[in-house]
Amino acid sequence: ATGGAAGILVTASAGLAGAFPAPAAAAGSVAGLDGSQPAVASTNSVSHADPGSAAKHHASKSAGKTATAALTGPPRTSCRSVAHIGDSTSEGMVSPDYLPNPAQRLAARYEDVGVQTVYTNITGARSVVEVLPGTTNGYQAAQGLIQQGFQGCWVLALGTNDTADVAAGSNVGLMTRIQRMMAVTRGEPVMWVNIISLLTSGPYSEANMRLWNRALMQACAKYPNMRVFDWAALAKPAWFISDGIHYTSAGYEQRALDIADGLARAFPLRGTSTGCLVQ
């Protein structure tokens, strides 16, 4: 447990097998659910497929239950720049220890669907609101990118810690957390990745994950620029490690591939998606 802006809170972190390269502003390690320690709490990187492009793209204005797109051939996205803000469930997607082949990692998968500049800001134990010493929360991470001039599409892989924090007694509710992120992204296209757990009890139980996913769908109906990628429907039990929250190498490989393809369906190069849920 750790103290935060909203009271006594719980945190989950990746517990990766190897070390990440430490960025200049990296904080200290954070314990994982299984007692292991990642080398640093934060990883930040920028990948450029084509440095000459910095186009700003916007979402379609439709909303509903299921998103579909008029795509032909391999999925391609209209998003030229993407900022991926994540918690420990994203760490393995950028880790050479989990994914030694760079082509399988998250930045390469985004580039495969047409993204030219990829920004990743990933911190173990991250939520939208609560902050561990020396780290930034999801809101602050987005705010920092905007202050640096970022314009483009957002992928928000947050919520696992948020819904656990609310279950543990935070006075900042689920919808407020989502609204804060939607406000800071200033109307740009946003794809949230929904969440899943194999746990049957405690703050990180699947019941609490479903509460978050339900709140995402409720919020999505109010934001024309928002989509929800249905990772929870795709994740297989065999892809999870023993803590029931984080993933194996095979799981992270598939997660990176599916999230990038989901972005292409949410904000396609041609046509528009219709509805909130991207499957």
Side-chain angles (χ1 to χ4, degrees):
T2 178
I8 299 175
L9 306 162
V10 293
T11 59
S13 183
L16 297 180
F20 286 109
S29 60
V30 181
L33 289 180
D34 58 358
S36 56
Q37 297 271 346
V40 298
S42 300
T43 61
N44 302 275
S45 67
V46 182
S47 173
H48 300 283
D50 179 0
S53 175
K56 180 179 180 180
H57 290 261
H58 295 276
S60 69
K61 299 297 183 180
S62 57
K65 292 184 178 179
T66 303
T68 58
L71 295 174
T72 57
R76 303 286 288 179
T77 181
S78 60
C79 299
R80 291 294 170 262
S81 294
V82 168
H84 180 109
I85 297 179
D87 56 25
S88 60
T89 63
S90 289
E91 284 184 321
M93 294 189 292
V94 298
S95 167
D97 297 295
Y98 270 67
L99 300 176
N101 183 354
Q104 296 175 340
R105 294 180 211 151
L106 186 62
R109 293 305 192 186
Y110 281 133
E111 291 166 3
D112 287 344
V113 298
V115 179
Q116 296 176 345
T117 305
V118 180
Y119 300 82
T120 57
N121 189 299
I122 296 167
T123 297
R126 170 175 276 164
S127 73
V128 173
V129 176
E130 292 75 33
V131 187
L132 286 173
T135 70
T136 59
N137 61 26
Y139 182 91
Q140 292 166 337
Q143 198 171 45
L145 284 168
I146 289 171
Q147 289 171 351
Q148 295 170 31
F150 175 77
Q151 291 182 319
C153 300
W154 299 83
V155 177
L156 304 180
L158 301 170
T160 298
N161 294 302
D162 290 275
T163 197
D165 289 341
V166 172
S170 171
N171 59 11
V172 181
L174 303 182
M175 188 61 71
T176 298
R177 293 164 184 264
I178 296 166
Q179 290 171 341
R180 288 186 183 182
M181 291 305 297
M182 295 305 295
V184 75
T185 52
R186 304 185 305 179
E188 298 282 9
V190 177
M191 186 180 83
W192 286 85
V193 180
N194 71 12
I195 58 177
I196 184 173
S197 164
L198 300 185
L199 303 180
T200 58
S201 63
Y204 288 93
S205 69
E206 172 60 10
N208 288 327
M209 304 298 139
R210 289 179 181 176
L211 291 176
W212 175 264
N213 293 346
R214 189 179 307 155
L216 282 180
M217 292 302 295
Q218 290 171 348
C220 189
K222 302 176 183 179
Y223 293 99
N225 61 310
M226 178 177 167
R227 300 290 184 269
V228 178
F229 175 63
D230 196 7
W231 167 250
L234 297 174
K236 298 180 180 180
W239 294 343
F240 288 81
I241 62 173
S242 59
D243 68 11
I245 297 173
H246 302 103
Y247 303 99
T248 64
S249 291
Y252 281 119
E253 178 185 351
Q254 193 64 43
R255 181 169 165 83
L257 177 64
D258 287 345
I259 288 174
D261 285 351
L263 183 70
R265 293 195 295 275
F267 307 115
L269 179 61
R270 296 181 180 87
T272 58
S273 64
T274 57
C276 281
L277 192 64
V278 179
Q279 296 177 309

